[in-house]
Amino acid sequence: MHGFSYNKGVLHCEEVELNALVAQHGTPLYVYSGGTIVDHFQRLDAALGGVEHEVAYAVKANSNLSVLRLLAKHGAGFDIVSGGELFRVLKAGGDPAHCTFAGVGKTREEIVYALKQGIYSFNVESEEELRYLNEVAGEMCLRAPVAVRVNPNVDAKTHKYISTGKSENKFGVDFEVIPDLYDRAARELPNILLRGLQMHIGSQLTSVAPFIEAVEKVAPLARELKQRHGIVFWSIGGGIGIVYQNSLESGAAEWWQTHTADDLPLTIERYGKELVPRLKDLGLKILLEPGRLIVGNAGVLVTRCLYEKKGKAKTFKIVDAGMNDLIRPALYEGHHAIVPLAQPASGERVVVDVVGPICESGDFFCQDRALPDFHPGECVALMSAGAYGFAMASNYNSRPLPAEVLVEGGSATLVRKRQTLEDLIAGEL
Ligand code: LLP
């Protein structure tokens, strides 16, 4: 589900008109549907009901404090990748005892901070990191709870920049050497507590097959580590893909028609139905680390058309959001549906490039796409921008970061102010 629909011809987020939010907060503007976030979290939680589990939201997808607070309130754990993310989770009222800390390059400062806070597990990505953790924990007279990330060498069949479970990726430890590594850690590293096993094969997986392959491959290893070392949890990572083709988008009906029941994108329910039977007899707590699934379809980026430029080869709609605000099309050729705030009166379409103001040819939101026409002064929503949207935004071209609004039912709260020009230089000496 997502919380965006036309009501009396105007695009709403839940019960709030996007036009009204634009009038109040300007553009570019991120708007999130709290109801959608909670719905996705609860559906995933329910789909895993058949096995002891915890949903640890991957903070990197959207780390706004209010989003974290909403998820903490509904009982989510958190998967973090930096000291900064841990800081955010704590500020939002999250419980460090329900935090896992992933990432290939944890610094000493981050390790000390996370040890002091008492996080649930460090998801360790190499033997070198494991030994370093042992050293730092030893200096602090603590034991560091650990899960080593296994690289199962499974093809996630996703964009190459977001595939992580193959041997050639920088992530995790090769499947074959894991048992030996746990044995040596148990013998040689007194300040390491072997608490679990972790894996994550990639992001935006739209088929359940790679998840099944990875779980089936790694389950015997998890069982062995439980017997030999008493591990208590297995994190099977995140990566559940979402549908970027939006039902409000022109051509959506045709898109759905080209998909048969078998190749329809992965649903939360299918994920649970396929994986729970393969996990439930292990006697391990199963952790999930979803990011995109929880927040992706729960957010849009609203942008205003500034100019229309008709060139020899193309028509460009130049909008006030750029690749610094939403980098996914430039970086991963990501598709975001582009939907006018005012419902189009006819089915007429124009073929356009929607581009931003940044001085790069990669600064586009779509190329040669048939869209309902819109004109300077009018606004469109870039859909499914809730994950890796604001979280990846930058000040490139000295552009202030956009504002963010969280909608819950009929109420809308500004949860991050638009940056000012002064904010841009704050901190520079
Ligand atoms: N766990 C680990 C260890 C991860 O590295 C990631 C994502 C996740 C969980 C959450 O994955 P998700 O459920 O969101 O797929 N910026 C890219 C996606 C990068 C994903 C990085 N790791 C994009 O916009 O497509």
Side-chain angles (χ1 to χ4, degrees), residues 388-425:
Y388 308 108
F390 188 94
M392 295 181 79
S394 78
N395 288 125
Y396 187 41
N397 277 204
S398 285
R399 289 166 48 81
L401 292 172
E404 295 174 284
V405 168
L406 178 66
V407 172
E408 290 170 280
S411 91
T413 314
L414 181 67
V415 292
R416 181 174 171 123
K417 285 193 229 166
R418 182 176 306 285
Q419 274 188 332
T420 63
L421 296 182
E422 286 300 324
D423 291 334
L424 284 180
I425 56 167

PDB file of all heavy atoms in Angstrom, residues 388-425:
ATOM      1  N   TYR A 388      16.224   6.108   0.657  1.00  0.00           N
ATOM      2  CA  TYR A 388      17.426   6.537  -0.056  1.00  0.00           C
ATOM      3  C   TYR A 388      17.152   7.802  -0.885  1.00  0.00           C
ATOM      4  O   TYR A 388      17.724   7.999  -1.941  1.00  0.00           O
ATOM      5  CB  TYR A 388      17.974   5.404  -0.930  1.00  0.00           C
ATOM      6  CG  TYR A 388      18.156   4.120  -0.141  1.00  0.00           C
ATOM      7  CD1 TYR A 388      17.316   3.021  -0.331  1.00  0.00           C
ATOM      8  CD2 TYR A 388      19.145   4.026   0.814  1.00  0.00           C
ATOM      9  CE1 TYR A 388      17.465   1.849   0.417  1.00  0.00           C
ATOM     10  CE2 TYR A 388      19.300   2.865   1.569  1.00  0.00           C
ATOM     11  CZ  TYR A 388      18.471   1.783   1.362  1.00  0.00           C
ATOM     12  OH  TYR A 388      18.617   0.642   2.101  1.00  0.00           O
ATOM     13  N   GLY A 389      16.227   8.608  -0.415  1.00  0.00           N
ATOM     14  CA  GLY A 389      15.921   9.886  -1.049  1.00  0.00           C
ATOM     15  C   GLY A 389      16.644  10.956  -0.252  1.00  0.00           C
ATOM     16  O   GLY A 389      17.824  11.263  -0.497  1.00  0.00           O
ATOM     17  N   PHE A 390      15.948  11.478   0.761  1.00  0.00           N
ATOM     18  CA  PHE A 390      16.589  12.497   1.595  1.00  0.00           C
ATOM     19  C   PHE A 390      17.886  11.967   2.191  1.00  0.00           C
ATOM     20  O   PHE A 390      18.871  12.703   2.330  1.00  0.00           O
ATOM     21  CB  PHE A 390      15.647  12.964   2.722  1.00  0.00           C
ATOM     22  CG  PHE A 390      16.210  14.128   3.468  1.00  0.00           C
ATOM     23  CD1 PHE A 390      15.870  15.422   3.114  1.00  0.00           C
ATOM     24  CD2 PHE A 390      17.144  13.943   4.482  1.00  0.00           C
ATOM     25  CE1 PHE A 390      16.441  16.506   3.762  1.00  0.00           C
ATOM     26  CE2 PHE A 390      17.718  15.015   5.139  1.00  0.00           C
ATOM     27  CZ  PHE A 390      17.362  16.304   4.777  1.00  0.00           C
ATOM     28  N   ALA A 391      17.887  10.681   2.544  1.00  0.00           N
ATOM     29  CA  ALA A 391      19.063  10.108   3.217  1.00  0.00           C
ATOM     30  C   ALA A 391      20.329  10.237   2.369  1.00  0.00           C
ATOM     31  O   ALA A 391      21.442  10.272   2.901  1.00  0.00           O
ATOM     32  CB  ALA A 391      18.811   8.637   3.554  1.00  0.00           C
ATOM     33  N   MET A 392      20.177  10.315   1.057  1.00  0.00           N
ATOM     34  CA  MET A 392      21.337  10.427   0.183  1.00  0.00           C
ATOM     35  C   MET A 392      21.474  11.839  -0.390  1.00  0.00           C
ATOM     36  O   MET A 392      22.303  12.075  -1.276  1.00  0.00           O
ATOM     37  CB  MET A 392      21.243   9.415  -0.974  1.00  0.00           C
ATOM     38  CG  MET A 392      21.295   7.972  -0.506  1.00  0.00           C
ATOM     39  SD  MET A 392      21.209   6.798  -1.864  1.00  0.00           S
ATOM     40  CE  MET A 392      22.886   6.837  -2.485  1.00  0.00           C
ATOM     41  N   ALA A 393      20.671  12.756   0.104  1.00  0.00           N
ATOM     42  CA  ALA A 393      20.716  14.121  -0.434  1.00  0.00           C
ATOM     43  C   ALA A 393      21.992  14.830   0.014  1.00  0.00           C
ATOM     44  O   ALA A 393      22.557  14.506   1.056  1.00  0.00           O
ATOM     45  CB  ALA A 393      19.491  14.906   0.034  1.00  0.00           C
ATOM     46  N   SER A 394      22.434  15.760  -0.783  1.00  0.00           N
ATOM     47  CA  SER A 394      23.664  16.492  -0.456  1.00  0.00           C
ATOM     48  C   SER A 394      23.477  17.978  -0.761  1.00  0.00           C
ATOM     49  O   SER A 394      22.457  18.392  -1.315  1.00  0.00           O
ATOM     50  CB  SER A 394      24.831  15.955  -1.282  1.00  0.00           C
ATOM     51  OG  SER A 394      24.753  16.465  -2.603  1.00  0.00           O
ATOM     52  N   ASN A 395      24.486  18.736  -0.403  1.00  0.00           N
ATOM     53  CA  ASN A 395      24.463  20.170  -0.678  1.00  0.00           C
ATOM     54  C   ASN A 395      25.143  20.515  -1.998  1.00  0.00           C
ATOM     55  O   ASN A 395      25.498  21.677  -2.235  1.00  0.00           O
ATOM     56  CB  ASN A 395      25.156  20.932   0.455  1.00  0.00           C
ATOM     57  CG  ASN A 395      24.356  20.973   1.729  1.00  0.00           C
ATOM     58  OD1 ASN A 395      24.842  20.579   2.786  1.00  0.00           O
ATOM     59  ND2 ASN A 395      23.130  21.424   1.658  1.00  0.00           N
ATOM     60  N   TYR A 396      25.330  19.543  -2.865  1.00  0.00           N
ATOM     61  CA  TYR A 396      26.015  19.788  -4.133  1.00  0.00           C
ATOM     62  C   TYR A 396      25.417  21.003  -4.837  1.00  0.00           C
ATOM     63  O   TYR A 396      24.197  21.177  -4.849  1.00  0.00           O
ATOM     64  CB  TYR A 396      25.902  18.536  -5.019  1.00  0.00           C
ATOM     65  CG  TYR A 396      26.718  18.623  -6.290  1.00  0.00           C
ATOM     66  CD1 TYR A 396      27.998  19.164  -6.293  1.00  0.00           C
ATOM     67  CD2 TYR A 396      26.194  18.161  -7.481  1.00  0.00           C
ATOM     68  CE1 TYR A 396      28.732  19.238  -7.465  1.00  0.00           C
ATOM     69  CE2 TYR A 396      26.921  18.215  -8.660  1.00  0.00           C
ATOM     70  CZ  TYR A 396      28.191  18.764  -8.642  1.00  0.00           C
ATOM     71  OH  TYR A 396      28.914  18.836  -9.798  1.00  0.00           O
ATOM     72  N   ASN A 397      26.267  21.778  -5.433  1.00  0.00           N
ATOM     73  CA  ASN A 397      25.903  23.056  -6.062  1.00  0.00           C
ATOM     74  C   ASN A 397      25.432  24.084  -5.016  1.00  0.00           C
ATOM     75  O   ASN A 397      24.692  25.010  -5.335  1.00  0.00           O
ATOM     76  CB  ASN A 397      24.814  22.879  -7.137  1.00  0.00           C
ATOM     77  CG  ASN A 397      25.365  22.454  -8.500  1.00  0.00           C
ATOM     78  OD1 ASN A 397      24.740  22.684  -9.531  1.00  0.00           O
ATOM     79  ND2 ASN A 397      26.525  21.833  -8.537  1.00  0.00           N
ATOM     80  N   SER A 398      25.845  23.828  -3.748  1.00  0.00           N
ATOM     81  CA  SER A 398      25.422  24.709  -2.642  1.00  0.00           C
ATOM     82  C   SER A 398      23.914  24.918  -2.625  1.00  0.00           C
ATOM     83  O   SER A 398      23.422  26.050  -2.530  1.00  0.00           O
ATOM     84  CB  SER A 398      26.161  26.048  -2.678  1.00  0.00           C
ATOM     85  OG  SER A 398      27.484  25.831  -2.222  1.00  0.00           O
ATOM     86  N   ARG A 399      23.222  23.792  -2.697  1.00  0.00           N
ATOM     87  CA  ARG A 399      21.755  23.845  -2.626  1.00  0.00           C
ATOM     88  C   ARG A 399      21.325  23.390  -1.229  1.00  0.00           C
ATOM     89  O   ARG A 399      21.700  22.317  -0.779  1.00  0.00           O
ATOM     90  CB  ARG A 399      21.152  22.930  -3.701  1.00  0.00           C
ATOM     91  CG  ARG A 399      21.345  23.494  -5.118  1.00  0.00           C
ATOM     92  CD  ARG A 399      21.057  22.452  -6.174  1.00  0.00           C
ATOM     93  NE  ARG A 399      19.821  21.726  -5.984  1.00  0.00           N
ATOM     94  CZ  ARG A 399      18.617  22.177  -6.336  1.00  0.00           C
ATOM     95  NH1 ARG A 399      18.497  23.367  -6.912  1.00  0.00           N
ATOM     96  NH2 ARG A 399      17.538  21.450  -6.128  1.00  0.00           N
ATOM     97  N   PRO A 400      20.531  24.199  -0.550  1.00  0.00           N
ATOM     98  CA  PRO A 400      20.068  23.814   0.783  1.00  0.00           C
ATOM     99  C   PRO A 400      19.249  22.525   0.719  1.00  0.00           C
ATOM    100  O   PRO A 400      18.516  22.304  -0.251  1.00  0.00           O
ATOM    101  CB  PRO A 400      19.178  24.989   1.207  1.00  0.00           C
ATOM    102  CG  PRO A 400      19.587  26.131   0.331  1.00  0.00           C
ATOM    103  CD  PRO A 400      20.049  25.532  -0.959  1.00  0.00           C
ATOM    104  N   LEU A 401      19.354  21.688   1.753  1.00  0.00           N
ATOM    105  CA  LEU A 401      18.575  20.450   1.780  1.00  0.00           C
ATOM    106  C   LEU A 401      17.092  20.785   1.913  1.00  0.00           C
ATOM    107  O   LEU A 401      16.717  21.740   2.589  1.00  0.00           O
ATOM    108  CB  LEU A 401      19.012  19.585   2.969  1.00  0.00           C
ATOM    109  CG  LEU A 401      20.422  19.003   2.872  1.00  0.00           C
ATOM    110  CD1 LEU A 401      20.810  18.322   4.187  1.00  0.00           C
ATOM    111  CD2 LEU A 401      20.523  18.007   1.722  1.00  0.00           C
ATOM    112  N   PRO A 402      16.253  19.962   1.253  1.00  0.00           N
ATOM    113  CA  PRO A 402      14.813  20.230   1.305  1.00  0.00           C
ATOM    114  C   PRO A 402      14.220  19.995   2.693  1.00  0.00           C
ATOM    115  O   PRO A 402      14.842  19.366   3.545  1.00  0.00           O
ATOM    116  CB  PRO A 402      14.234  19.223   0.304  1.00  0.00           C
ATOM    117  CG  PRO A 402      15.268  18.196   0.096  1.00  0.00           C
ATOM    118  CD  PRO A 402      16.590  18.807   0.419  1.00  0.00           C
ATOM    119  N   ALA A 403      13.003  20.475   2.887  1.00  0.00           N
ATOM    120  CA  ALA A 403      12.266  20.227   4.128  1.00  0.00           C
ATOM    121  C   ALA A 403      11.598  18.862   4.046  1.00  0.00           C
ATOM    122  O   ALA A 403      11.433  18.292   2.957  1.00  0.00           O
ATOM    123  CB  ALA A 403      11.221  21.321   4.330  1.00  0.00           C
ATOM    124  N   GLU A 404      11.231  18.323   5.206  1.00  0.00           N
ATOM    125  CA  GLU A 404      10.528  17.035   5.274  1.00  0.00           C
ATOM    126  C   GLU A 404       9.287  17.179   6.156  1.00  0.00           C
ATOM    127  O   GLU A 404       9.357  17.790   7.235  1.00  0.00           O
ATOM    128  CB  GLU A 404      11.431  15.951   5.878  1.00  0.00           C
ATOM    129  CG  GLU A 404      12.654  15.592   5.048  1.00  0.00           C
ATOM    130  CD  GLU A 404      13.567  14.624   5.802  1.00  0.00           C
ATOM    131  OE1 GLU A 404      14.280  15.081   6.723  1.00  0.00           O
ATOM    132  OE2 GLU A 404      13.542  13.419   5.491  1.00  0.00           O
ATOM    133  N   VAL A 405       8.206  16.569   5.691  1.00  0.00           N
ATOM    134  CA  VAL A 405       6.930  16.622   6.424  1.00  0.00           C
ATOM    135  C   VAL A 405       6.443  15.197   6.641  1.00  0.00           C
ATOM    136  O   VAL A 405       6.531  14.363   5.733  1.00  0.00           O
ATOM    137  CB  VAL A 405       5.877  17.420   5.606  1.00  0.00           C
ATOM    138  CG1 VAL A 405       4.480  17.249   6.192  1.00  0.00           C
ATOM    139  CG2 VAL A 405       6.247  18.899   5.548  1.00  0.00           C
ATOM    140  N   LEU A 406       5.946  14.924   7.844  1.00  0.00           N
ATOM    141  CA  LEU A 406       5.364  13.612   8.138  1.00  0.00           C
ATOM    142  C   LEU A 406       3.862  13.783   8.319  1.00  0.00           C
ATOM    143  O   LEU A 406       3.414  14.600   9.130  1.00  0.00           O
ATOM    144  CB  LEU A 406       5.986  13.032   9.413  1.00  0.00           C
ATOM    145  CG  LEU A 406       5.442  11.687   9.884  1.00  0.00           C
ATOM    146  CD1 LEU A 406       5.772  10.569   8.893  1.00  0.00           C
ATOM    147  CD2 LEU A 406       6.010  11.331  11.266  1.00  0.00           C
ATOM    148  N   VAL A 407       3.107  13.010   7.534  1.00  0.00           N
ATOM    149  CA  VAL A 407       1.647  13.081   7.605  1.00  0.00           C
ATOM    150  C   VAL A 407       1.136  11.861   8.353  1.00  0.00           C
ATOM    151  O   VAL A 407       1.581  10.734   8.113  1.00  0.00           O
ATOM    152  CB  VAL A 407       1.047  13.128   6.182  1.00  0.00           C
ATOM    153  CG1 VAL A 407      -0.477  12.997   6.227  1.00  0.00           C
ATOM    154  CG2 VAL A 407       1.453  14.420   5.479  1.00  0.00           C
ATOM    155  N   GLU A 408       0.223  12.110   9.268  1.00  0.00           N
ATOM    156  CA  GLU A 408      -0.470  10.996   9.949  1.00  0.00           C
ATOM    157  C   GLU A 408      -1.943  11.331   9.947  1.00  0.00           C
ATOM    158  O   GLU A 408      -2.379  12.240  10.665  1.00  0.00           O
ATOM    159  CB  GLU A 408       0.064  10.824  11.372  1.00  0.00           C
ATOM    160  CG  GLU A 408       1.493  10.287  11.378  1.00  0.00           C
ATOM    161  CD  GLU A 408       2.142  10.341  12.747  1.00  0.00           C
ATOM    162  OE1 GLU A 408       2.596  11.437  13.119  1.00  0.00           O
ATOM    163  OE2 GLU A 408       2.179   9.311  13.419  1.00  0.00           O
ATOM    164  N   GLY A 409      -2.694  10.620   9.109  1.00  0.00           N
ATOM    165  CA  GLY A 409      -4.122  10.903   8.980  1.00  0.00           C
ATOM    166  C   GLY A 409      -4.326  12.294   8.432  1.00  0.00           C
ATOM    167  O   GLY A 409      -3.829  12.647   7.355  1.00  0.00           O
ATOM    168  N   GLY A 410      -5.003  13.134   9.224  1.00  0.00           N
ATOM    169  CA  GLY A 410      -5.275  14.496   8.749  1.00  0.00           C
ATOM    170  C   GLY A 410      -4.253  15.500   9.233  1.00  0.00           C
ATOM    171  O   GLY A 410      -4.383  16.693   8.985  1.00  0.00           O
ATOM    172  N   SER A 411      -3.225  15.033   9.942  1.00  0.00           N
ATOM    173  CA  SER A 411      -2.283  16.021  10.476  1.00  0.00           C
ATOM    174  C   SER A 411      -0.925  15.911   9.790  1.00  0.00           C
ATOM    175  O   SER A 411      -0.457  14.817   9.469  1.00  0.00           O
ATOM    176  CB  SER A 411      -2.158  15.859  11.995  1.00  0.00           C
ATOM    177  OG  SER A 411      -1.109  14.968  12.303  1.00  0.00           O
ATOM    178  N   ALA A 412      -0.338  17.059   9.570  1.00  0.00           N
ATOM    179  CA  ALA A 412       0.965  17.113   8.898  1.00  0.00           C
ATOM    180  C   ALA A 412       1.931  17.862   9.792  1.00  0.00           C
ATOM    181  O   ALA A 412       1.632  18.947  10.273  1.00  0.00           O
ATOM    182  CB  ALA A 412       0.828  17.838   7.561  1.00  0.00           C
ATOM    183  N   THR A 413       3.105  17.266  10.015  1.00  0.00           N
ATOM    184  CA  THR A 413       4.096  17.897  10.891  1.00  0.00           C
ATOM    185  C   THR A 413       5.383  18.130  10.109  1.00  0.00           C
ATOM    186  O   THR A 413       5.890  17.216   9.452  1.00  0.00           O
ATOM    187  CB  THR A 413       4.429  16.959  12.080  1.00  0.00           C
ATOM    188  OG1 THR A 413       3.205  16.449  12.603  1.00  0.00           O
ATOM    189  CG2 THR A 413       5.205  17.677  13.151  1.00  0.00           C
ATOM    190  N   LEU A 414       5.882  19.348  10.199  1.00  0.00           N
ATOM    191  CA  LEU A 414       7.203  19.622   9.615  1.00  0.00           C
ATOM    192  C   LEU A 414       8.230  18.922  10.499  1.00  0.00           C
ATOM    193  O   LEU A 414       8.355  19.237  11.679  1.00  0.00           O
ATOM    194  CB  LEU A 414       7.453  21.132   9.602  1.00  0.00           C
ATOM    195  CG  LEU A 414       8.789  21.571   8.998  1.00  0.00           C
ATOM    196  CD1 LEU A 414       8.841  21.294   7.501  1.00  0.00           C
ATOM    197  CD2 LEU A 414       9.051  23.059   9.273  1.00  0.00           C
ATOM    198  N   VAL A 415       8.928  17.915   9.950  1.00  0.00           N
ATOM    199  CA  VAL A 415       9.856  17.146  10.785  1.00  0.00           C
ATOM    200  C   VAL A 415      11.313  17.485  10.476  1.00  0.00           C
ATOM    201  O   VAL A 415      12.218  17.017  11.144  1.00  0.00           O
ATOM    202  CB  VAL A 415       9.601  15.619  10.675  1.00  0.00           C
ATOM    203  CG1 VAL A 415       8.258  15.262  11.305  1.00  0.00           C
ATOM    204  CG2 VAL A 415       9.685  15.127   9.242  1.00  0.00           C
ATOM    205  N   ARG A 416      11.531  18.271   9.479  1.00  0.00           N
ATOM    206  CA  ARG A 416      12.861  18.854   9.259  1.00  0.00           C
ATOM    207  C   ARG A 416      12.694  20.142   8.465  1.00  0.00           C
ATOM    208  O   ARG A 416      12.061  20.151   7.404  1.00  0.00           O
ATOM    209  CB  ARG A 416      13.767  17.894   8.500  1.00  0.00           C
ATOM    210  CG  ARG A 416      15.144  18.494   8.309  1.00  0.00           C
ATOM    211  CD  ARG A 416      16.132  17.533   7.684  1.00  0.00           C
ATOM    212  NE  ARG A 416      17.318  18.261   7.366  1.00  0.00           N
ATOM    213  CZ  ARG A 416      18.548  17.980   7.788  1.00  0.00           C
ATOM    214  NH1 ARG A 416      18.756  16.922   8.507  1.00  0.00           N
ATOM    215  NH2 ARG A 416      19.556  18.729   7.457  1.00  0.00           N
ATOM    216  N   LYS A 417      13.273  21.201   8.993  1.00  0.00           N
ATOM    217  CA  LYS A 417      13.173  22.501   8.319  1.00  0.00           C
ATOM    218  C   LYS A 417      14.023  22.509   7.067  1.00  0.00           C
ATOM    219  O   LYS A 417      15.073  21.864   7.032  1.00  0.00           O
ATOM    220  CB  LYS A 417      13.739  23.589   9.236  1.00  0.00           C
ATOM    221  CG  LYS A 417      12.863  23.975  10.371  1.00  0.00           C
ATOM    222  CD  LYS A 417      13.426  25.279  10.959  1.00  0.00           C
ATOM    223  CE  LYS A 417      13.547  25.139  12.455  1.00  0.00           C
ATOM    224  NZ  LYS A 417      14.354  26.155  13.066  1.00  0.00           N
ATOM    225  N   ARG A 418      13.591  23.274   6.094  1.00  0.00           N
ATOM    226  CA  ARG A 418      14.441  23.490   4.930  1.00  0.00           C
ATOM    227  C   ARG A 418      15.715  24.188   5.391  1.00  0.00           C
ATOM    228  O   ARG A 418      15.664  25.067   6.244  1.00  0.00           O
ATOM    229  CB  ARG A 418      13.685  24.389   3.932  1.00  0.00           C
ATOM    230  CG  ARG A 418      14.418  24.674   2.633  1.00  0.00           C
ATOM    231  CD  ARG A 418      13.532  25.497   1.692  1.00  0.00           C
ATOM    232  NE  ARG A 418      12.237  24.835   1.488  1.00  0.00           N
ATOM    233  CZ  ARG A 418      12.065  23.763   0.727  1.00  0.00           C
ATOM    234  NH1 ARG A 418      13.063  23.258   0.046  1.00  0.00           N
ATOM    235  NH2 ARG A 418      10.883  23.192   0.623  1.00  0.00           N
ATOM    236  N   GLN A 419      16.842  23.792   4.845  1.00  0.00           N
ATOM    237  CA  GLN A 419      18.079  24.488   5.214  1.00  0.00           C
ATOM    238  C   GLN A 419      18.054  25.911   4.670  1.00  0.00           C
ATOM    239  O   GLN A 419      17.476  26.171   3.613  1.00  0.00           O
ATOM    240  CB  GLN A 419      19.305  23.764   4.635  1.00  0.00           C
ATOM    241  CG  GLN A 419      19.818  22.657   5.519  1.00  0.00           C
ATOM    242  CD  GLN A 419      21.143  22.108   5.013  1.00  0.00           C
ATOM    243  OE1 GLN A 419      21.434  22.149   3.821  1.00  0.00           O
ATOM    244  NE2 GLN A 419      21.949  21.589   5.918  1.00  0.00           N
ATOM    245  N   THR A 420      18.722  26.785   5.396  1.00  0.00           N
ATOM    246  CA  THR A 420      18.851  28.169   4.937  1.00  0.00           C
ATOM    247  C   THR A 420      20.233  28.349   4.304  1.00  0.00           C
ATOM    248  O   THR A 420      21.099  27.484   4.423  1.00  0.00           O
ATOM    249  CB  THR A 420      18.740  29.136   6.123  1.00  0.00           C
ATOM    250  OG1 THR A 420      19.841  28.857   7.003  1.00  0.00           O
ATOM    251  CG2 THR A 420      17.432  28.950   6.878  1.00  0.00           C
ATOM    252  N   LEU A 421      20.431  29.481   3.701  1.00  0.00           N
ATOM    253  CA  LEU A 421      21.759  29.761   3.141  1.00  0.00           C
ATOM    254  C   LEU A 421      22.805  29.805   4.257  1.00  0.00           C
ATOM    255  O   LEU A 421      23.926  29.340   4.089  1.00  0.00           O
ATOM    256  CB  LEU A 421      21.740  31.080   2.358  1.00  0.00           C
ATOM    257  CG  LEU A 421      20.835  31.085   1.124  1.00  0.00           C
ATOM    258  CD1 LEU A 421      20.930  32.435   0.401  1.00  0.00           C
ATOM    259  CD2 LEU A 421      21.191  29.949   0.160  1.00  0.00           C
ATOM    260  N   GLU A 422      22.408  30.342   5.412  1.00  0.00           N
ATOM    261  CA  GLU A 422      23.337  30.369   6.546  1.00  0.00           C
ATOM    262  C   GLU A 422      23.712  28.951   6.969  1.00  0.00           C
ATOM    263  O   GLU A 422      24.865  28.680   7.300  1.00  0.00           O
ATOM    264  CB  GLU A 422      22.725  31.131   7.740  1.00  0.00           C
ATOM    265  CG  GLU A 422      22.689  32.644   7.564  1.00  0.00           C
ATOM    266  CD  GLU A 422      24.076  33.252   7.364  1.00  0.00           C
ATOM    267  OE1 GLU A 422      25.039  32.756   7.986  1.00  0.00           O
ATOM    268  OE2 GLU A 422      24.197  34.229   6.598  1.00  0.00           O
ATOM    269  N   ASP A 423      22.739  28.028   6.947  1.00  0.00           N
ATOM    270  CA  ASP A 423      23.029  26.621   7.300  1.00  0.00           C
ATOM    271  C   ASP A 423      24.135  26.060   6.390  1.00  0.00           C
ATOM    272  O   ASP A 423      24.927  25.222   6.799  1.00  0.00           O
ATOM    273  CB  ASP A 423      21.789  25.726   7.148  1.00  0.00           C
ATOM    274  CG  ASP A 423      20.715  26.019   8.172  1.00  0.00           C
ATOM    275  OD1 ASP A 423      21.064  26.518   9.260  1.00  0.00           O
ATOM    276  OD2 ASP A 423      19.527  25.745   7.887  1.00  0.00           O
ATOM    277  N   LEU A 424      24.117  26.513   5.155  1.00  0.00           N
ATOM    278  CA  LEU A 424      25.099  25.980   4.190  1.00  0.00           C
ATOM    279  C   LEU A 424      26.541  26.235   4.624  1.00  0.00           C
ATOM    280  O   LEU A 424      27.419  25.424   4.341  1.00  0.00           O
ATOM    281  CB  LEU A 424      24.905  26.640   2.818  1.00  0.00           C
ATOM    282  CG  LEU A 424      23.741  26.177   1.970  1.00  0.00           C
ATOM    283  CD1 LEU A 424      23.735  26.967   0.669  1.00  0.00           C
ATOM    284  CD2 LEU A 424      23.835  24.685   1.680  1.00  0.00           C
ATOM    285  N   ILE A 425      26.763  27.365   5.289  1.00  0.00           N
ATOM    286  CA  ILE A 425      28.154  27.707   5.629  1.00  0.00           C
ATOM    287  C   ILE A 425      28.447  27.521   7.106  1.00  0.00           C
ATOM    288  O   ILE A 425      29.575  27.726   7.545  1.00  0.00           O
ATOM    289  CB  ILE A 425      28.518  29.136   5.175  1.00  0.00           C
ATOM    290  CG1 ILE A 425      27.535  30.153   5.770  1.00  0.00           C
ATOM    291  CG2 ILE A 425      28.540  29.250   3.656  1.00  0.00           C
ATOM    292  CD1 ILE A 425      28.007  31.583   5.616  1.00  0.00           C
TER     293      ILE A 425
END
